[in-house]
Amino acid sequence: GESVGLHLPTLSVQEGDNSIINCAYSNSASDYFIWYKQESGKGPQFIIDIRSNMDKRQGQRVTVLLNKTVKHLSLQIAATQPGDSAVYFCAENWGTGRRALTFGSGTRLQVQP
Amino acid sequence: EAGVAQSPRYKIIEKRQSVAFWCNPISGHATLYWYQQILGQGPKLLIQFQNNGVVDDSQLPKDRFSAERLKGVDSTLKIQPAKLEDSAVYLCASSLEVARDNEQFFGPGTRLTVL
């Protein structure tokens, strides 16, 4: 399939290492955040979400950290595997009537075997 | 369960031509979204439907883009006439309910190239 993004910031890690992907979000009113994984030729896939009343949430091998003071979101992937290689997007949402997400520009994660 | 289906997967047209994309959401999902993803960028919402009604089309270029979801299930997105800058992947997503934290499931997208 075609590449999702050829000129995205790239994070290259060794298999088994931990990865940290960062995102600066745009709207101080945002109160719901999601991390998506997008493999080449596929649509984005939900990884983990967090509400603004939390500063940390853990899933299986993934942790999301939220710092509302500086409008920063990070995704930590433990024991990174080759199958984690993809483009990662953070997305934000705000407002009571608005449902759609606003996506960031993405980071490409390359896992070296 | 079956995922979100989109067709065609790829389309190449000349500028000023017309094109249409089709989306079949996950069965029972009331909310359907069309996003445009330009290479190297995150998806950008074009239009959101709740059943067969439009919830948000504020970012849809209405002079050339149109979308419909007549029976509240399948949806089509049309571009007429296409411009070079419309080259992108068009993603369809659906979610079960209107709740904001309801997970959106994405289809594989349609890759449009305008020459």
Side-chain angles (χ1 to χ4, degrees):
Chain A
E2 71 284 355
S3 295
V4 170
L6 297 178
H7 306 293
L8 294 168
T10 298
L11 173 66
S12 186
V13 301
Q14 292 291 319
E15 181 178 359
D17 287 352
N18 297 333
S19 303
I20 300 177
I21 300 171
N22 296 304
C23 173
Y25 62 90
S26 60
N27 193 329
S28 57
S30 292
D31 56 5
Y32 179 62
F33 306 87
I34 307 176
W35 279 100
Y36 281 90
K37 172 186 180 182
Q38 188 171 24
E39 296 174 280
S40 186
K42 297 182 180 179
Q45 178 185 9
F46 175 95
I47 301 174
I48 191 168
D49 61 356
I50 188 169
R51 296 180 179 274
S52 61
N53 61 353
M54 304 171 68
D55 52 21
K56 180 179 180 179
R57 190 170 187 212
Q58 289 185 292
Q60 187 177 14
R61 281 203 307 121
V62 294
T63 300
V64 55
L65 299 177
L66 174 62
N67 185 331
K68 295 182 290 294
T69 303
V70 295
K71 295 192 291 185
H72 184 267
L73 200 64
S74 69
L75 176 70
Q76 301 178 0
I77 305 174
T80 312
Q81 302 168 1
D84 294 328
S85 294
V87 176
Y88 290 80
F89 293 98
C90 65
E92 60 188 296
N93 185 270
W94 65 91
T96 55
R98 190 172 187 274
R99 302 289 179 253
L101 300 167
T102 298
F103 283 80
S105 56
T107 298
R108 177 180 300 282
L109 176 66
Q110 291 181 337
V111 182
Q112 308 297 329
Chain B
E1 63 180 9
V4 176
Q6 291 188 247
S7 68
R9 290 297 313 277
Y10 304 92
K11 189 74 176 179
I12 301 174
I13 62 172
E14 307 236 334
K15 60 183 179 182
R16 292 187 288 274
Q17 286 187 321
S18 301
V19 65
F21 313 127
W22 174 82
C23 173
N24 179 236
I26 293 173
S27 178
H29 280 199
T31 308
L32 184 147
Y33 312 79
W34 282 102
Y35 289 86
Q36 180 193 59
Q37 186 174 26
I38 293 172
L39 193 63
Q41 300 180 17
K44 185 188 79 172
L45 178 73
L46 292 175
I47 190 168
Q48 177 188 346
F49 292 95
Q50 175 65 23
N51 295 312
N52 61 351
V54 175
V55 174
D56 183 354
D57 64 356
S58 58
Q59 298 187 82
L60 186 73
K62 298 181 186 63
D63 57 334
R64 298 183 301 106
F65 286 64
S66 65
E68 60 183 16
R69 195 185 183 200
L70 293 177
K71 296 183 178 179
V73 180
D74 294 2
S75 177
T76 56
L77 175 69
K78 298 179 181 177
I79 308 175
Q80 179 180 11
K83 294 185 175 181
L84 296 176
E85 59 261 35
D86 297 333
S87 293
V89 175
Y90 290 84
L91 294 163
C92 179
S94 68
S95 61
L96 186 59
E97 297 176 355
V98 297
R100 185 175 49 173
D101 56 354
N102 218 249
E103 182 178 345
Q104 292 185 31
F105 294 85
F106 284 82
T110 297
R111 170 82 173 179
L112 174 67
T113 302
V114 182
L115 302 176

